Amino acid sequence: MATLTPTVSLSSLTLLSGLLKLDTSAQIDYTFSDAVADTVSITGSPTDILGTGHLVNKYVYVKNNDTTNYLKLRDNASNMWGLIEAGKWGFFTIPSGTGLKFESSAGTISIDYIIFDAS
């Protein structure tokens, strides 16, 4: 087993609508037992990345290496639930028994991803 310690920090020097300021950091330790990493080329058709047969939650890191097109995030039924803009990244949880598919908004894009098994 190993420990993954992601840290996210959000801050703004200017006022945000409805908030006086935004300045927060969060660091959470996740224990994981296995990880799979790959760099893949994604097209405009949904590509299966994670099937529905897993019995534990998965933590997923994704980096969109494209400079123009965004990455669509879809569930096993191909419903779009999120996106990663060009040059950006995301870190999220996929519940046990839920699939994950990637799809390019246009053209072929390169994606780096890591899937961690939660323990």
Side-chain angles (χ1 to χ4, degrees):
M1 294 213 195
T3 300
L4 175 68
T5 307
T7 302
V8 175
S9 180
L10 302 172
S11 64
S12 175
L13 298 176
T14 59
L15 295 178
L16 300 172
S17 178
L19 297 173
L20 297 177
K21 68 177 182 171
L22 174 63
D23 188 8
T24 186
S25 294
Q27 180 175 311
I28 302 170
D29 291 339
Y30 296 99
T31 301
F32 66 96
S33 57
D34 195 12
V36 174
D38 203 356
T39 298
V40 293
S41 294
I42 300 299
T43 64
S45 299
T47 300
D48 287 324
I49 300 298
L50 180 63
T52 59
H54 57 99
L55 301 177
V56 297
N57 293 341
K58 304 283 189 168
Y59 298 106
V60 180
Y61 166 81
V62 179
K63 170 80 168 59
N64 181 353
N65 297 313
D66 198 79
T67 58
T68 306
N69 301 304
Y70 62 88
L71 174 69
K72 298 176 183 180
L73 304 173
R74 297 188 177 277
D75 64 15
N76 49 297
S78 293
N79 299 308
M80 188 171 132
W81 58 268
L83 61 88
I84 307 289
E85 294 181 0
K88 305 299 182 186
W89 60 272
F91 183 75
F92 47 87
T93 304
I94 299 295
S96 63
T98 303
L100 174 63
K101 297 180 181 188
F102 291 163
E103 179 183 351
S104 169
S105 64
T108 300
I109 60 177
S110 173
I111 303 298
D112 297 328
Y113 72 91
I114 305 171
I115 299 174
F116 300 94
D117 286 1
S119 295

